[in-house]
Amino acid sequence: MFRLSIALCLATGSALAEMPRFQKIPASDSGLRFTLANSPTAEKRMIETMPGGIAAFDFDNDGLIDIFFANGAGLKKSANRLFKNEGGLKFRDVTATAGLSGEGYAIGAVAGDFDNDGLTDLFVAGDRHNLLYRNSGHGKFEDITAKSGIKSDEWSIAGGWFDYDADGLLDLFIANYGRDTQETRYCGDAAKKLRIYCHPKYFAPRPNQLYRNLGGGKFEDVTMKSGIGAHKGRGMSIAFADYDADGWIDIFVTNDNLANFLFRNLGNGKFEETALLAGVALLDHGKPIASMGADFRDADNDGRPDITVTALSGETFPFFRNDGGGMFHDATFASKIGPLSTQRAGWANAWIDFNNDGWKDLFSANAHVNDLVEQFEPGVTYKQANSVFVNQNGKTFVDSQCPALAAAKAAHRGAAFADFDNDGRIDVVVSVLGEPAELWRNVAESANAWLDVKVPSNQVGATITITAGDKKQWNIYSPAVGYASTCLLYTSDAADE
């Protein structure tokens, strides 16, 4: 069972909650000593920009959310890390005893109980080296990749657990990027000896993959017969929701400089790609952007899951509002997210109610892709501060202008969200290329309460609804959140006492 918390603000006379506020907890205090390695090379291989996935989940069922970091440490280093939450925002590295150090170039991580034994398992996506770990209990994991049937033949970025065929077993969707990571093309200005990461157009798109859970730790590749394999993209992130309310979980995939995918689940083991018809393939200007992170959740409390996407500076962070009937519209500028995000480049993102006022705010972990961008794009910065756009009654957003967040500029990548200290407020952990991870404690004040709901582990897409009079609050259980990351304690929204 996983906990899905909903914080509800239902009383008509409720006072406005304050702006979200965060306190950065030093690694010397938390014990969360982890530096994300991206193994940069002089050849500027694109994959070096992509590590950073995080999984926040309770691996030992002690009621405290633990943290796993996927680490792009290169082919001969074993550097993924698992930190056990010991309470009071204190963490201890248990990687070695858990058996999760891993191997290869890891990028994304997603947790889920694929064998329904009550213990949360883990999938790690990487460069032609995916890993499936079964949680065997007593704090240990077993690598069952070889016998599971899951391949390692693609440049994989992210994974996502969901039950697409409603048989009670979690299936696995994997987002894949380009043809090859060994690209040696010189991009930039050779005369000035200014070499940069190449544009994504030089990497041939690849199909994503879908594996059906057969039980007993075995998976069947159903990529082609499901219809998923008929569509090639440069997949970056995955998000799940039943966008058309037909009872079947659908898949949204961001594509780097290509149109996004929305795979509609037909309920017969097959999917149809409907992003263009549904209005989420592109923004209204009709041009593809560097779509990276994604979250698929109800932002305006109308019971329909909306979509948020991150992209590069100058492209804005798209916001697709769900109109019902299987249709969305581009609300990026009407919501004010457009002008708020224009100067930012985002990776991980999520709809989270940080101030427990009943409205989900938008977090983004920010930094540009190119570490030399300031030398060829005036006004654009590489290291950037993370941001929180505060939800104003589901219609528009404003910048939280949190001083602590604004002061911490870095090459941020993945992020996971959980109430790490069980105080009813959602905290954040963010990975940073070449620098220590950031742990942000939520210190926002609120008089509102919060509600914890237990959700069966195989019920991805389950919607929790609380009603009081003419007011409702909604949340959706979906472990794949943001960029190549997962969180299985999802406290979002709270209720007046």
Side-chain angles (χ1 to χ4, degrees), residues 64-137:
L64 297 170
I65 301 304
D66 312 297
I67 301 173
F68 174 86
F69 294 97
N71 200 14
L75 296 176
K76 296 183 179 180
K77 297 180 182 178
S78 299
N80 300 326
R81 303 281 287 282
L82 176 66
F83 290 87
K84 175 178 168 55
N85 188 338
E86 300 193 305
L89 288 179
K90 303 289 186 182
F91 295 83
R92 176 168 55 92
D93 189 338
V94 296
T95 309
T97 56
L100 288 179
S101 59
E103 57 187 6
Y105 200 100
I107 300 176
V110 62
D113 182 7
F114 69 78
D115 54 1
N116 290 340
D117 65 353
L119 299 169
T120 306
D121 312 299
L122 185 67
F123 173 77
V124 182
D127 174 23
R128 289 166 293 186
H129 201 100
N130 295 326
L131 296 167
L132 179 63
Y133 293 101
R134 179 182 175 271
N135 188 335
S136 54

Side-chain angles (χ1 to χ4, degrees), residues 55-313:
F57 67 111
D58 183 3
F59 81 91
D60 52 3
N61 289 342
D62 65 353
L64 297 170
I65 301 304
D66 312 297
I67 301 173
F68 174 86
F69 294 97
N71 200 14
L75 296 176
K76 296 183 179 180
K77 297 180 182 178
S78 299
N80 300 326
R81 303 281 287 282
L82 176 66
F83 290 87
K84 175 178 168 55
N85 188 338
E86 300 193 305
L89 288 179
K90 303 289 186 182
F91 295 83
R92 176 168 55 92
D93 189 338
V94 296
T95 309
T97 56
L100 288 179
S101 59
E103 57 187 6
Y105 200 100
I107 300 176
V110 62
D113 182 7
F114 69 78
D115 54 1
N116 290 340
D117 65 353
L119 299 169
T120 306
D121 312 299
L122 185 67
F123 173 77
V124 182
D127 174 23
R128 289 166 293 186
H129 201 100
N130 295 326
L131 296 167
L132 179 63
Y133 293 101
R134 179 182 175 271
N135 188 335
S136 54
H138 307 292
K140 297 184 181 298
F141 290 78
E142 175 191 4
D143 183 348
I144 65 166
T145 313
K147 58 186 178 183
S148 70
I150 293 173
K151 301 173 186 175
S152 296
D153 55 349
E154 296 283 352
W155 175 359
S156 299
I157 301 292
W161 294 110
F162 76 127
D163 184 6
Y164 81 91
D165 52 1
D167 66 352
L169 296 172
L170 289 177
D171 309 299
L172 180 64
F173 186 95
I174 302 176
N176 296 319
Y177 195 74
R179 183 196 68 242
D180 194 359
T181 62
Q182 306 304 314
E183 181 67 55
T184 57
R185 179 186 302 273
Y186 191 107
C187 295
D189 190 331
K192 295 181 179 180
K193 297 183 179 180
L194 183 64
R195 188 168 191 172
I196 63 173
Y197 294 105
C198 290
H199 191 278
K201 67 184 179 182
Y202 295 115
F203 299 89
R206 298 293 299 158
N208 299 303
Q209 292 166 301
L210 178 62
Y211 289 92
R212 181 171 180 261
N213 190 339
L214 302 177
K218 303 290 186 181
F219 291 80
E220 175 193 5
D221 187 342
V222 294
T223 301
M224 297 310 298
K225 70 180 182 181
S226 67
I228 296 295
H231 305 275
K232 295 181 179 181
R234 287 187 284 265
M236 294 289 282
S237 294
I238 310 162
F240 301 106
D242 179 8
Y243 80 93
D244 54 359
D246 67 352
W248 296 95
I249 302 302
D250 311 300
I251 315 164
F252 178 77
V253 182
T254 58
N255 283 314
D256 190 0
N257 279 273
L258 290 171
N260 300 318
F261 292 149
L262 180 60
F263 292 109
R264 179 172 177 260
N265 191 336
L266 300 178
N268 58 0
K270 297 186 180 297
F271 292 80
E272 64 174 344
E273 205 290 293
T274 62
L276 186 61
L277 293 177
V280 297
L282 305 163
L283 287 165
D284 280 350
H285 57 51
K287 300 176 182 178
I289 60 173
S291 299
M292 292 189 281
D295 198 14
F296 205 164
R297 213 174 299 272
D298 181 11
D300 52 7
N301 288 337
D302 64 357
R304 298 188 290 261
D306 310 297
I307 296 174
T308 177
V309 175
T310 52
L312 288 183
S313 303

Side-chain angles (χ1 to χ4, degrees), residues 171-464:
D171 309 299
L172 180 64
F173 186 95
I174 302 176
N176 296 319
Y177 195 74
R179 183 196 68 242
D180 194 359
T181 62
Q182 306 304 314
E183 181 67 55
T184 57
R185 179 186 302 273
Y186 191 107
C187 295
D189 190 331
K192 295 181 179 180
K193 297 183 179 180
L194 183 64
R195 188 168 191 172
I196 63 173
Y197 294 105
C198 290
H199 191 278
K201 67 184 179 182
Y202 295 115
F203 299 89
R206 298 293 299 158
N208 299 303
Q209 292 166 301
L210 178 62
Y211 289 92
R212 181 171 180 261
N213 190 339
L214 302 177
K218 303 290 186 181
F219 291 80
E220 175 193 5
D221 187 342
V222 294
T223 301
M224 297 310 298
K225 70 180 182 181
S226 67
I228 296 295
H231 305 275
K232 295 181 179 181
R234 287 187 284 265
M236 294 289 282
S237 294
I238 310 162
F240 301 106
D242 179 8
Y243 80 93
D244 54 359
D246 67 352
W248 296 95
I249 302 302
D250 311 300
I251 315 164
F252 178 77
V253 182
T254 58
N255 283 314
D256 190 0
N257 279 273
L258 290 171
N260 300 318
F261 292 149
L262 180 60
F263 292 109
R264 179 172 177 260
N265 191 336
L266 300 178
N268 58 0
K270 297 186 180 297
F271 292 80
E272 64 174 344
E273 205 290 293
T274 62
L276 186 61
L277 293 177
V280 297
L282 305 163
L283 287 165
D284 280 350
H285 57 51
K287 300 176 182 178
I289 60 173
S291 299
M292 292 189 281
D295 198 14
F296 205 164
R297 213 174 299 272
D298 181 11
D300 52 7
N301 288 337
D302 64 357
R304 298 188 290 261
D306 310 297
I307 296 174
T308 177
V309 175
T310 52
L312 288 183
S313 303
E315 294 181 329
T316 74
F317 296 169
F319 172 30
F320 300 107
R321 195 184 296 274
N322 192 331
D323 297 323
M327 299 297 297
F328 296 77
H329 75 272
D330 179 355
T332 307
F333 280 88
S335 66
K336 309 300 183 186
I337 290 175
L340 288 172
S341 61
T342 300
Q343 300 303 314
R344 307 174 196 261
W347 290 78
N349 58 343
W351 298 116
I352 305 282
D353 182 5
F354 287 111
N355 55 2
N356 283 359
D357 66 349
W359 298 99
K360 296 178 187 65
D361 312 304
L362 178 59
F363 179 95
S364 63
N366 301 325
H368 205 276
V369 173
N370 265 307
D371 55 348
L372 301 179
V373 66
E374 293 162 29
Q375 299 185 43
F376 61 89
E377 286 190 41
V380 177
T381 57
Y382 173 58
K383 294 184 177 182
Q384 299 181 16
N386 298 322
S387 55
V388 175
F389 301 149
V390 184
N391 194 332
Q392 307 286 288
N393 297 322
K395 297 180 175 63
T396 58
F397 293 76
V398 298
D399 195 327
S400 70
Q401 298 182 335
C402 175
L405 285 179
K409 296 182 179 180
H412 300 109
R413 286 301 186 264
F417 310 86
D419 183 3
F420 291 114
D421 53 2
N422 287 343
D423 68 352
R425 295 173 291 192
I426 290 297
D427 312 300
V428 186
V429 59
V430 186
S431 62
V432 183
L433 291 184
E435 295 183 49
E438 298 174 356
L439 177 61
W440 295 96
R441 184 185 180 214
N442 187 338
V443 294
E445 296 293 335
S446 176
N448 296 332
W450 51 282
L451 176 67
D452 230 9
V453 181
K454 288 187 176 181
V455 180
S457 61
N458 58 8
Q459 296 299 306
V460 173
T463 300
I464 308 299

